[in-house]
């Protein structure tokens, strides 16, 4: 919201600069009016008020048009922002007075310099036709034109930076295989209990590379944690570590890389006996000199007066289990056998690239064979991970639209000045054409 307020202020400043430029550029056209009013007895103060009121009235007309445009575009803005914004004319009694006050302030801001500039004309010089655009006025107009384009360029740069950041979020190597990963939620006890049977059935599917079950998967919130400490330390020195309970095949399916040791394997049934795999962040937090030296060591956790030991069998290369807003935190995995009463919440299936709809139909068929009373639900890991950046996607789109609006307003101002300049040079253009100049 603060970003959009700043952008709105920038756009208003650009519009005010345009008004100042065009008003001062047209000063020659109104100089005789000012001269006659002064000769007839008008005070400079009354002229200042006249020009300010003209500016405020222009601002009021703009406010009415803006309200109409806002009401027309509001459904589109709601769709783009993912919100349900309502005008609130009745519920918010301060909204309309605030808009009117803002309109008055913008009118005063935009009309202040033209008012004081035009009211300062000397009647004698004006009526004798000796008045022309002063160097100071021309220089100020140039400064203001440069100023509004500086604002536009700032918005362009901001939009490009945000766009580059979004590209980075989409393409950043997360440290695991996020493509072609199908997630099937196991919502009921029945679904949890068929997990092993479903995995066995999938082994015959030529499109399935691997499948593994887990309590949590990358991109979603993982609330499970423990305090682990090493030999020579106490529970008070334990490091908070996120825990994920997985089966033998999950880490292989996820495609994470080991720095030392090995992954869980069904060839080692004792892996279910509290053996643990940690990431590099936890290895560093616990103070192990290297990943190789960490393998074979024990970490400990105290619970209700009992000390539990967990032999480290592997160290994983750090990967982003959470979204990129969060730094990589200490993480550990423990294996749990796939069977009745397990706590797995999801089944992850890594597939080959190919016909997605045909692949999903085959998985759905296996699901309904084993669990006919529950609907088949699924999502894709890469899409789920990107959901963490929906706010940034919307921000990028909105800033892009506002930047286009700011550039258009700046160009309108420059177009107005160019048109005025052309009007001032009509005689020059006529002489050039008489002397043979083409339109080009």
């Amino acid at each position: 919201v603060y970003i959009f307020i700043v952008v709105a202020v920038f756009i208003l400043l650009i519009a005010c600069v345009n008004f100042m430029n065009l008003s001062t550029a047209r000063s020659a056209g109104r100089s005789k009016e000012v001269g006659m009013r002064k000769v007839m007895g008008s005070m400079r103060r009354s002229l200042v008020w006249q020009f300010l009121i003209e500016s405020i009235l222009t601002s009021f007309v703009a406010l009415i048009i803006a309200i109409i445009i806002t009401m027309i575009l509001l459904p589109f803005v709601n769709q783009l922002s993912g919100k349900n914004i309502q005008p609130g004319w009745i519920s918010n009694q301060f909204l309309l007075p605030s808009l009117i006050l803002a309109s008055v302030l913008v009118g005063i801001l935009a009309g202040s310099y033209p008012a004081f500039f035009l009211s300062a004309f000397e009647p004698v010089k004006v009526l004798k036709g000796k008045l022309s655009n002063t160097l100071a006025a021309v220089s100020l107009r140039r400064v203001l034109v440069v100023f509004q384009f500086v604002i536009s360029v700032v918005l362009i740069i901001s939009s490009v930076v945000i766009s580059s950041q979004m590209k980075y979020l989409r393409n950043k190597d997360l440290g695991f295989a996020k493509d072609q990963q199908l997630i099937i939620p196991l919502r009921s006890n029945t679904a949890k209990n068929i997990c092993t049977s479903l995995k066995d059935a999938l082994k015959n599917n030529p499109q399935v590379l691997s499948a593994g079950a887990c309590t949590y998967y990358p991109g979603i919130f993982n609330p499970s944690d423990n305090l682990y400490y090493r030999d020579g330390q106490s529970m008070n020195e334990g490091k908070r570590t996120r825990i994920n309970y997985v089966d033998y095949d999950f880490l292989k399916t996820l495609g994470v890389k080991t720095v030392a040791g090995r992954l869980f394997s069904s060839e080692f049934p004792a892996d279910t006996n509290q053996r643990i795999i940690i990431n590099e962040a936890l290895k560093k937090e616990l103070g192990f000199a290297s990943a190789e030296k960490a393998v074979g060591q024990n970490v400990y956790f105290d619970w209700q007066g009992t000390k539990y030991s967990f032999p480290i069998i592997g160290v994983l290369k750090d990967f982003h289990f959470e979204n990129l807003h969060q730094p990589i935190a200490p993480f550990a995995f423990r294996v749990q056998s796939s069977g009745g009463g397990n706590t797995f919440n999801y089944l992850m299936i890594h597939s080959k690239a190919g016909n997605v709809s045909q692949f999903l139909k085959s998985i759905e068929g296996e699901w309904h064979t084993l669990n006919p009373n529950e609907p088949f639900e699924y999502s894709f890991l890469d899409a789920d991970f990107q959901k963490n950046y929906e706010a940034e996607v919307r921000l990028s789109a909105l800033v892009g639209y506002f930047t286009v609006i700011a550039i258009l307003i700046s160009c309108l101002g420059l177009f107005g000045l160019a048109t005025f300049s052309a009007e001032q040079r009509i005689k020059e253009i006529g002489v050039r054409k008489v002397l043979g100049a083409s339109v080009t």
Side-chain angles (χ1 to χ4, degrees), residues 230-231 278 282-291 293-295 297-299 312:
R230 57 179 291 189
D231 284 313
I278 65 175
L282 181 56
K283 182 265 301 181
K284 189 181 298 182
E285 286 281 328
L286 291 171
F288 290 113
S290 67
K293 290 183 178 180
V295 174
Q297 300 293 321
N298 287 343
V299 293
I312 299 173

Side-chain angles (χ1 to χ4, degrees), residues 186 189-199 367 370-371:
L186 308 172
N189 287 329
T190 304
K192 294 176 190 295
N193 291 332
I194 67 162
C195 181
T196 303
S197 301
L198 182 59
K199 278 185 62 180
W367 172 271
L370 296 168
N371 189 6

Side-chain angles (χ1 to χ4, degrees), residues 63-199:
L63 173 63
I64 293 168
I65 296 171
I67 289 173
I68 294 170
I69 292 173
T70 300
M71 298 302 293
I72 293 171
L73 294 181
L74 195 55
F76 170 73
V77 174
N78 283 337
Q79 182 182 357
L80 186 65
S81 64
K83 305 295 181 185
N84 185 25
I85 302 168
Q86 299 298 325
W89 306 114
I90 299 172
S91 60
N92 188 350
Q93 57 184 341
F94 298 106
L95 180 59
L96 196 57
S98 299
L99 287 173
I100 293 171
L101 178 62
S103 181
V104 171
L105 292 175
V106 169
I108 292 172
L109 175 65
S112 56
Y113 176 71
F116 287 101
F117 176 76
L118 292 170
S119 63
F121 289 160
E122 297 178 21
V124 176
K125 288 184 178 179
V126 168
L127 296 176
K128 286 185 176 181
K130 294 181 178 180
L131 184 73
S132 60
N133 281 331
T134 63
L135 182 62
V138 172
S139 299
L140 180 63
R141 278 204 300 276
R142 289 173 178 169
V143 168
L144 290 175
V145 168
V146 171
F147 171 72
Q148 69 175 0
F149 275 97
V150 165
I151 292 178
S152 297
V153 170
V154 167
L155 289 174
I156 291 169
I157 292 171
S158 302
S159 184
V160 169
V161 168
I162 293 172
S163 178
S164 299
Q165 187 71 1
M166 294 310 302
K167 184 177 179 182
Y168 173 81
L169 291 176
R170 284 192 298 269
N171 300 325
K172 165 72 175 171
D173 181 12
L174 300 173
F176 60 85
K178 63 182 175 65
D179 297 323
Q180 270 83 50
Q181 297 277 23
L182 183 72
I183 306 293
I184 300 176
L186 308 172
R187 303 195 186 280
S188 67
N189 287 329
T190 304
K192 294 176 190 295
N193 291 332
I194 67 162
C195 181
T196 303
S197 301
L198 182 59
K199 278 185 62 180

Side-chain angles (χ1 to χ4, degrees), residues 192-193 336 339-344:
K192 294 176 190 295
N193 291 332
Q336 180 177 279
N342 70 65
T343 58
F344 295 141

Side-chain angles (χ1 to χ4, degrees), residues 344-402:
F344 295 141
N345 296 324
Y346 303 96
L347 178 65
M348 178 183 291
I349 304 169
H350 191 191
S351 67
K352 298 177 183 177
N355 190 323
V356 177
S357 59
Q358 183 180 345
F359 172 67
L360 290 173
K361 283 181 181 178
S362 65
I363 302 294
E364 185 177 5
E366 298 289 355
W367 172 271
H368 285 307
T369 300
L370 296 168
N371 189 6
N373 297 322
E374 286 186 49
F376 174 68
E377 298 179 64
Y378 67 91
S379 62
F380 291 96
L381 179 60
D382 54 350
D384 287 352
F385 210 92
Q386 286 301 316
K387 287 178 182 177
N388 292 295
Y389 310 122
E390 286 181 352
E392 285 79 3
V393 171
R394 291 170 182 155
L395 176 67
S396 176
L398 287 167
V399 170
Y401 286 124
F402 289 143

